[in-house]
Amino acid sequence: QVQLVESGGGSVQAGGSLRLSCEVSGRTFSGYRMGWFRQAPGKEREFVATITWSAGTTYYADSVKGRFTISRDNAKNAVYLQMNNLKPDDTAVYYCACTEIRRSFRDYASVRPYDYWGQGTQVTVSS
């Protein structure tokens, strides 16, 4: 059973930083990609960033490019999202997710191909 557990959310002022963690378990993840998504109240869940487990290939949403960094630690079975220069618009529940690379080659930024999701962690940025 694949499990993803996020942590690291909290409340910060604009310009601050947070580091989210996602611990993954239940299978080997070679051939998989890990993704971070977020959902603000009244809005659809949106793509933030993704990384392939083996090669470490990354993609980012334009809204976070240059401010957020996704990384993974294969030995610890963990994925991270370093968020710098946070803005009030970054306020949302952040979710970790994973799926097979072969099923998400073209639509890695869509929620559709992701099979497994964490419970989410709240990030609140005040102005």
Side-chain angles (χ1 to χ4, degrees), residues 1-2 6-8 32 38 51 55 58-59 64 67 70 73 81 83-84 90 99-100 102-103 114 123 125-126:
Q1 181 74 12
V2 175
E6 302 99 333
S7 61
Y32 273 66
R38 65 187 182 187
I51 187 168
T58 60
Y59 297 101
V64 306
R67 299 188 298 123
I70 188 172
D73 186 328
L81 186 69
M83 305 185 295
N84 298 328
D90 295 319
T99 186
E100 293 179 272
R102 64 181 180 87
R103 295 179 55 239
Y114 288 83
V123 171
V125 184
S126 58

Side-chain angles (χ1 to χ4, degrees), residues 39-113:
Q39 189 165 18
K43 295 187 177 181
E44 292 188 352
R45 194 167 296 188
E46 66 173 7
F47 170 75
V48 176
T50 184
I51 187 168
T52 57
W53 191 259
S54 298
T57 302
T58 60
Y59 297 101
Y60 295 90
D62 287 343
S63 59
V64 306
K65 209 172 286 184
R67 299 188 298 123
F68 290 11
T69 302
I70 188 172
S71 62
R72 88 273 188 245
D73 186 328
N74 293 20
K76 294 183 178 180
N77 266 14
V79 180
Y80 307 101
L81 186 69
Q82 177 66 45
M83 305 185 295
N84 298 328
N85 191 21
L86 283 160
K87 304 176 180 180
D89 284 349
D90 295 319
T91 295
V93 177
Y94 283 71
Y95 297 91
C96 178
C98 71
T99 186
E100 293 179 272
I101 293 172
R102 64 181 180 87
R103 295 179 55 239
S104 58
F105 188 75
R106 289 186 176 84
D107 57 352
Y108 57 80
S110 167
V111 300
R112 193 170 45 250

Side-chain angles (χ1 to χ4, degrees), residues 12-31:
V12 296
Q13 289 192 327
S17 298
L18 282 174
R19 188 193 193 210
L20 305 183
S21 299
C22 175
E23 295 185 4
V24 299
S25 62
R27 63 161 297 125
T28 56
F29 290 95
S30 60

